[in-house]
Structures are given as C-alpha cells and as structure tokens.
Amino acid sequence: MDANNWRPTAPGGEPVIDTGDWRIQLQPDSRKRIVDKIIEILKRHLPFSGQEGLQELKKIAVRFEEKIYTAATNQSDYLRKISLKMLAMETKSQNTIPTGNGISADGHSQREN
C-alpha cells in the first residue's frame, strides 16, 4: 500500500469521509493559539512602543496567519509555512544588532536620540 494513499478509519473500521477542505477540521482555538505564538515571536524580534505598537504587532500577526491559512494546501503545509517563517525571523534577528527603534501608534518608527 502506498503511504500517500493512506486513509484514516473510524473506530468501526469504516473509512473516514474526506471533505476535501482541511480547514474545517482545524479548531478556531488552534488558530488563536498560533496567532498568539506569532505575536510573542514578533514582540521578541520587532521593536514596539506602548499599546499602539502592540496593537500593530497583533494586526501583523493576524494578517500573516490569514495569508498562510488561505494559501496552505493542508494543515501540515499551514504549520510548516508558519514554522519556517518564524524560524527565519529568529535566525535573522540573531544576526542583527538592535537599534532602539519602536513602532508608534501611526506606524512610524521612533528613534532614541
């Protein structure tokens, strides 16, 4: 049997019907936890200032997650794409020096003088 053609079975041995859309099976709470994790990573690697800056990071995280969610072909692809992007951010930020910039309410950077 080809591993790519494997189909899950219900407890009674009947094949589970493939609805064709993996998104139906993903719990909304799962997406929220993923967005929260993205926000935590962004907070560590992108400078922000105050509540307005935090709200901007949240908007970035939500847009990013929605873009990946829409483009992914299955749940594994969705998680892989998010993981790779977050890993790239972690790696990139380790190779840069913080500059003391922040994101203000209007989305412009604030520099320390």
mmCIF file of all heavy atoms in Angstrom, residues 25-52:
data_model
loop_
_atom_site.group_PDB
_atom_site.id
_atom_site.type_symbol
_atom_site.label_atom_id
_atom_site.label_comp_id
_atom_site.label_asym_id
_atom_site.label_seq_id
_atom_site.Cartn_x
_atom_site.Cartn_y
_atom_site.Cartn_z
ATOM 1 N N GLN A 25 -11.508 21.002 9.708
ATOM 2 C CA GLN A 25 -11.064 20.186 10.840
ATOM 3 C C GLN A 25 -10.213 20.959 11.841
ATOM 4 O O GLN A 25 -10.018 20.511 12.955
ATOM 5 C CB GLN A 25 -10.287 18.979 10.323
ATOM 6 C CG GLN A 25 -11.124 18.094 9.441
ATOM 7 C CD GLN A 25 -10.309 17.027 8.743
ATOM 8 O OE1 GLN A 25 -9.103 16.948 8.913
ATOM 9 N NE2 GLN A 25 -10.978 16.203 7.961
ATOM 10 N N LEU A 26 -9.715 22.130 11.458
ATOM 11 C CA LEU A 26 -8.869 22.925 12.340
ATOM 12 C C LEU A 26 -9.743 23.728 13.297
ATOM 13 O O LEU A 26 -10.612 24.489 12.878
ATOM 14 C CB LEU A 26 -7.988 23.857 11.507
ATOM 15 C CG LEU A 26 -6.908 24.623 12.254
ATOM 16 C CD1 LEU A 26 -5.883 23.659 12.852
ATOM 17 C CD2 LEU A 26 -6.211 25.590 11.314
ATOM 18 N N GLN A 27 -9.507 23.561 14.579
ATOM 19 C CA GLN A 27 -10.287 24.258 15.589
ATOM 20 C C GLN A 27 -9.946 25.744 15.615
ATOM 21 O O GLN A 27 -8.777 26.112 15.505
ATOM 22 C CB GLN A 27 -10.004 23.663 16.971
ATOM 23 C CG GLN A 27 -10.376 22.208 17.103
ATOM 24 C CD GLN A 27 -11.863 21.985 16.963
ATOM 25 O OE1 GLN A 27 -12.672 22.754 17.479
ATOM 26 N NE2 GLN A 27 -12.239 20.934 16.261
ATOM 27 N N PRO A 28 -10.947 26.629 15.746
ATOM 28 C CA PRO A 28 -10.672 28.075 15.818
ATOM 29 C C PRO A 28 -9.697 28.417 16.943
ATOM 30 O O PRO A 28 -8.872 29.313 16.806
ATOM 31 C CB PRO A 28 -12.047 28.691 16.078
ATOM 32 C CG PRO A 28 -13.017 27.682 15.564
ATOM 33 C CD PRO A 28 -12.368 26.334 15.777
ATOM 34 N N ASP A 29 -9.764 27.688 18.050
ATOM 35 C CA ASP A 29 -8.861 27.923 19.167
ATOM 36 C C ASP A 29 -7.405 27.659 18.757
ATOM 37 O O ASP A 29 -6.492 28.326 19.231
ATOM 38 C CB ASP A 29 -9.255 27.038 20.348
ATOM 39 C CG ASP A 29 -8.435 27.342 21.579
ATOM 40 O OD1 ASP A 29 -8.332 28.534 21.931
ATOM 41 O OD2 ASP A 29 -7.877 26.403 22.176
ATOM 42 N N SER A 30 -7.205 26.720 17.839
ATOM 43 C CA SER A 30 -5.860 26.417 17.353
ATOM 44 C C SER A 30 -5.285 27.620 16.613
ATOM 45 O O SER A 30 -4.118 27.969 16.793
ATOM 46 C CB SER A 30 -5.872 25.215 16.416
ATOM 47 O OG SER A 30 -6.288 24.069 17.102
ATOM 48 N N ARG A 31 -6.097 28.245 15.787
ATOM 49 C CA ARG A 31 -5.637 29.423 15.046
ATOM 50 C C ARG A 31 -5.297 30.558 16.010
ATOM 51 O O ARG A 31 -4.310 31.263 15.836
ATOM 52 C CB ARG A 31 -6.694 29.886 14.050
ATOM 53 C CG ARG A 31 -6.860 28.913 12.890
ATOM 54 C CD ARG A 31 -7.806 29.432 11.857
ATOM 55 N NE ARG A 31 -7.237 30.592 11.173
ATOM 56 C CZ ARG A 31 -7.923 31.401 10.389
ATOM 57 N NH1 ARG A 31 -9.206 31.188 10.187
ATOM 58 N NH2 ARG A 31 -7.355 32.422 9.803
ATOM 59 N N LYS A 32 -6.097 30.738 17.048
ATOM 60 C CA LYS A 32 -5.837 31.788 18.028
ATOM 61 C C LYS A 32 -4.522 31.530 18.747
ATOM 62 O O LYS A 32 -3.719 32.451 18.945
ATOM 63 C CB LYS A 32 -6.973 31.892 19.033
ATOM 64 C CG LYS A 32 -6.759 33.032 20.030
ATOM 65 C CD LYS A 32 -7.822 33.076 21.080
ATOM 66 C CE LYS A 32 -7.633 34.177 22.084
ATOM 67 N NZ LYS A 32 -6.297 34.618 22.363
ATOM 68 N N ARG A 33 -4.268 30.278 19.124
ATOM 69 C CA ARG A 33 -3.009 29.947 19.798
ATOM 70 C C ARG A 33 -1.821 30.204 18.877
ATOM 71 O O ARG A 33 -0.775 30.685 19.315
ATOM 72 C CB ARG A 33 -3.012 28.492 20.272
ATOM 73 C CG ARG A 33 -3.873 28.269 21.500
ATOM 74 C CD ARG A 33 -3.605 26.929 22.168
ATOM 75 N NE ARG A 33 -3.498 25.807 21.257
ATOM 76 C CZ ARG A 33 -4.483 25.007 20.898
ATOM 77 N NH1 ARG A 33 -5.695 25.209 21.379
ATOM 78 N NH2 ARG A 33 -4.281 23.998 20.075
ATOM 79 N N ILE A 34 -1.980 29.898 17.595
ATOM 80 C CA ILE A 34 -0.907 30.148 16.633
ATOM 81 C C ILE A 34 -0.658 31.644 16.489
ATOM 82 O O ILE A 34 0.488 32.097 16.494
ATOM 83 C CB ILE A 34 -1.225 29.474 15.279
ATOM 84 C CG1 ILE A 34 -1.105 27.955 15.432
ATOM 85 C CG2 ILE A 34 -0.316 29.997 14.175
ATOM 86 C CD1 ILE A 34 -1.637 27.151 14.269
ATOM 87 N N VAL A 35 -1.721 32.444 16.380
ATOM 88 C CA VAL A 35 -1.573 33.898 16.287
ATOM 89 C C VAL A 35 -0.889 34.434 17.549
ATOM 90 O O VAL A 35 0.014 35.276 17.468
ATOM 91 C CB VAL A 35 -2.926 34.599 16.051
ATOM 92 C CG1 VAL A 35 -2.816 36.105 16.241
ATOM 93 C CG2 VAL A 35 -3.447 34.285 14.662
ATOM 94 N N ASP A 36 -1.277 33.924 18.715
ATOM 95 C CA ASP A 36 -0.652 34.361 19.969
ATOM 96 C C ASP A 36 0.842 34.044 19.975
ATOM 97 O O ASP A 36 1.657 34.856 20.429
ATOM 98 C CB ASP A 36 -1.327 33.715 21.182
ATOM 99 C CG ASP A 36 -2.732 34.243 21.439
ATOM 100 O OD1 ASP A 36 -3.083 35.304 20.866
ATOM 101 O OD2 ASP A 36 -3.473 33.594 22.195
ATOM 102 N N LYS A 37 1.207 32.882 19.470
ATOM 103 C CA LYS A 37 2.619 32.499 19.393
ATOM 104 C C LYS A 37 3.371 33.407 18.419
ATOM 105 O O LYS A 37 4.494 33.831 18.706
ATOM 106 C CB LYS A 37 2.737 31.032 18.961
ATOM 107 C CG LYS A 37 4.143 30.519 18.927
ATOM 108 C CD LYS A 37 4.730 30.454 20.314
ATOM 109 C CE LYS A 37 6.109 29.822 20.264
ATOM 110 N NZ LYS A 37 6.783 29.892 21.542
ATOM 111 N N ILE A 38 2.749 33.734 17.301
ATOM 112 C CA ILE A 38 3.370 34.656 16.330
ATOM 113 C C ILE A 38 3.595 36.014 16.988
ATOM 114 O O ILE A 38 4.664 36.622 16.837
ATOM 115 C CB ILE A 38 2.500 34.787 15.060
ATOM 116 C CG1 ILE A 38 2.453 33.460 14.295
ATOM 117 C CG2 ILE A 38 3.020 35.901 14.158
ATOM 118 C CD1 ILE A 38 1.394 33.399 13.208
ATOM 119 N N ILE A 39 2.610 36.491 17.748
ATOM 120 C CA ILE A 39 2.738 37.774 18.445
ATOM 121 C C ILE A 39 3.924 37.733 19.410
ATOM 122 O O ILE A 39 4.722 38.680 19.462
ATOM 123 C CB ILE A 39 1.437 38.142 19.183
ATOM 124 C CG1 ILE A 39 0.329 38.449 18.188
ATOM 125 C CG2 ILE A 39 1.655 39.334 20.127
ATOM 126 C CD1 ILE A 39 -1.064 38.532 18.802
ATOM 127 N N GLU A 40 4.062 36.647 20.158
ATOM 128 C CA GLU A 40 5.173 36.535 21.106
ATOM 129 C C GLU A 40 6.519 36.596 20.388
ATOM 130 O O GLU A 40 7.448 37.248 20.851
ATOM 131 C CB GLU A 40 5.065 35.232 21.916
ATOM 132 C CG GLU A 40 3.922 35.229 22.898
ATOM 133 C CD GLU A 40 3.963 36.409 23.867
ATOM 134 O OE1 GLU A 40 5.034 36.689 24.437
ATOM 135 O OE2 GLU A 40 2.924 37.074 24.021
ATOM 136 N N ILE A 41 6.618 35.947 19.253
ATOM 137 C CA ILE A 41 7.858 35.976 18.477
ATOM 138 C C ILE A 41 8.106 37.376 17.934
ATOM 139 O O ILE A 41 9.225 37.891 17.997
ATOM 140 C CB ILE A 41 7.830 34.909 17.368
ATOM 141 C CG1 ILE A 41 7.863 33.517 18.000
ATOM 142 C CG2 ILE A 41 8.998 35.097 16.398
ATOM 143 C CD1 ILE A 41 7.601 32.375 17.040
ATOM 144 N N LEU A 42 7.061 38.021 17.421
ATOM 145 C CA LEU A 42 7.212 39.381 16.913
ATOM 146 C C LEU A 42 7.653 40.334 18.023
ATOM 147 O O LEU A 42 8.495 41.213 17.799
ATOM 148 C CB LEU A 42 5.901 39.874 16.285
ATOM 149 C CG LEU A 42 5.476 39.208 14.976
ATOM 150 C CD1 LEU A 42 4.103 39.719 14.552
ATOM 151 C CD2 LEU A 42 6.502 39.421 13.883
ATOM 152 N N LYS A 43 7.093 40.161 19.225
ATOM 153 C CA LYS A 43 7.456 41.026 20.343
ATOM 154 C C LYS A 43 8.932 40.887 20.693
ATOM 155 O O LYS A 43 9.573 41.866 21.082
ATOM 156 C CB LYS A 43 6.595 40.689 21.577
ATOM 157 C CG LYS A 43 5.187 41.238 21.486
ATOM 158 C CD LYS A 43 4.247 40.659 22.508
ATOM 159 C CE LYS A 43 4.586 40.903 23.926
ATOM 160 N NZ LYS A 43 3.533 40.399 24.853
ATOM 161 N N ARG A 44 9.474 39.691 20.532
ATOM 162 C CA ARG A 44 10.887 39.479 20.844
ATOM 163 C C ARG A 44 11.812 40.061 19.785
ATOM 164 O O ARG A 44 12.955 40.392 20.073
ATOM 165 C CB ARG A 44 11.180 37.986 20.977
ATOM 166 C CG ARG A 44 10.703 37.376 22.271
ATOM 167 C CD ARG A 44 11.377 36.057 22.562
ATOM 168 N NE ARG A 44 11.383 35.106 21.476
ATOM 169 C CZ ARG A 44 10.525 34.109 21.321
ATOM 170 N NH1 ARG A 44 9.558 33.946 22.191
ATOM 171 N NH2 ARG A 44 10.624 33.277 20.318
ATOM 172 N N HIS A 45 11.315 40.165 18.552
ATOM 173 C CA HIS A 45 12.211 40.492 17.448
ATOM 174 C C HIS A 45 11.917 41.809 16.733
ATOM 175 O O HIS A 45 12.740 42.263 15.941
ATOM 176 C CB HIS A 45 12.228 39.347 16.440
ATOM 177 C CG HIS A 45 12.692 38.073 17.066
ATOM 178 N ND1 HIS A 45 13.999 37.854 17.431
ATOM 179 C CD2 HIS A 45 12.022 36.953 17.439
ATOM 180 C CE1 HIS A 45 14.118 36.661 17.981
ATOM 181 N NE2 HIS A 45 12.934 36.094 18.002
ATOM 182 N N LEU A 46 10.768 42.392 16.991
ATOM 183 C CA LEU A 46 10.457 43.689 16.390
ATOM 184 C C LEU A 46 10.245 44.700 17.504
ATOM 185 O O LEU A 46 9.508 44.430 18.455
ATOM 186 C CB LEU A 46 9.191 43.608 15.528
ATOM 187 C CG LEU A 46 9.264 42.766 14.271
ATOM 188 C CD1 LEU A 46 7.899 42.749 13.576
ATOM 189 C CD2 LEU A 46 10.328 43.282 13.320
ATOM 190 N N PRO A 47 10.866 45.848 17.376
ATOM 191 C CA PRO A 47 10.661 46.865 18.408
ATOM 192 C C PRO A 47 9.247 47.447 18.322
ATOM 193 O O PRO A 47 8.706 47.600 17.239
ATOM 194 C CB PRO A 47 11.716 47.918 18.067
ATOM 195 C CG PRO A 47 12.038 47.701 16.634
ATOM 196 C CD PRO A 47 11.782 46.257 16.335
ATOM 197 N N PHE A 48 8.659 47.724 19.478
ATOM 198 C CA PHE A 48 7.347 48.361 19.510
ATOM 199 C C PHE A 48 7.279 49.240 20.743
ATOM 200 O O PHE A 48 8.073 49.091 21.672
ATOM 201 C CB PHE A 48 6.211 47.326 19.498
ATOM 202 C CG PHE A 48 6.119 46.503 20.748
ATOM 203 C CD1 PHE A 48 5.228 46.845 21.753
ATOM 204 C CD2 PHE A 48 6.910 45.375 20.922
ATOM 205 C CE1 PHE A 48 5.140 46.086 22.909
ATOM 206 C CE2 PHE A 48 6.825 44.614 22.071
ATOM 207 C CZ PHE A 48 5.938 44.974 23.070
ATOM 208 N N SER A 49 6.340 50.171 20.732
ATOM 209 C CA SER A 49 6.220 51.122 21.822
ATOM 210 C C SER A 49 4.768 51.244 22.256
ATOM 211 O O SER A 49 3.906 51.607 21.448
ATOM 212 C CB SER A 49 6.761 52.479 21.366
ATOM 213 O OG SER A 49 6.615 53.438 22.377
ATOM 214 N N GLY A 50 4.476 50.928 23.510
ATOM 215 C CA GLY A 50 3.157 51.132 24.081
ATOM 216 C C GLY A 50 2.074 50.229 23.496
ATOM 217 O O GLY A 50 2.328 49.319 22.722
ATOM 218 N N GLN A 51 0.838 50.527 23.899
ATOM 219 C CA GLN A 51 -0.327 49.747 23.456
ATOM 220 C C GLN A 51 -0.528 49.843 21.952
ATOM 221 O O GLN A 51 -0.918 48.877 21.311
ATOM 222 C CB GLN A 51 -1.597 50.210 24.171
ATOM 223 C CG GLN A 51 -1.793 49.595 25.535
ATOM 224 C CD GLN A 51 -1.844 48.081 25.493
ATOM 225 O OE1 GLN A 51 -0.977 47.420 26.048
ATOM 226 N NE2 GLN A 51 -2.852 47.516 24.859
ATOM 227 N N GLU A 52 -0.270 51.027 21.391
ATOM 228 C CA GLU A 52 -0.464 51.200 19.953
ATOM 229 C C GLU A 52 0.484 50.305 19.170
ATOM 230 O O GLU A 52 0.101 49.683 18.177
ATOM 231 C CB GLU A 52 -0.270 52.671 19.549
ATOM 232 C CG GLU A 52 -1.294 53.606 20.125
ATOM 233 C CD GLU A 52 -0.937 54.086 21.538
ATOM 234 O OE1 GLU A 52 0.175 53.785 22.025
ATOM 235 O OE2 GLU A 52 -1.786 54.752 22.159
#
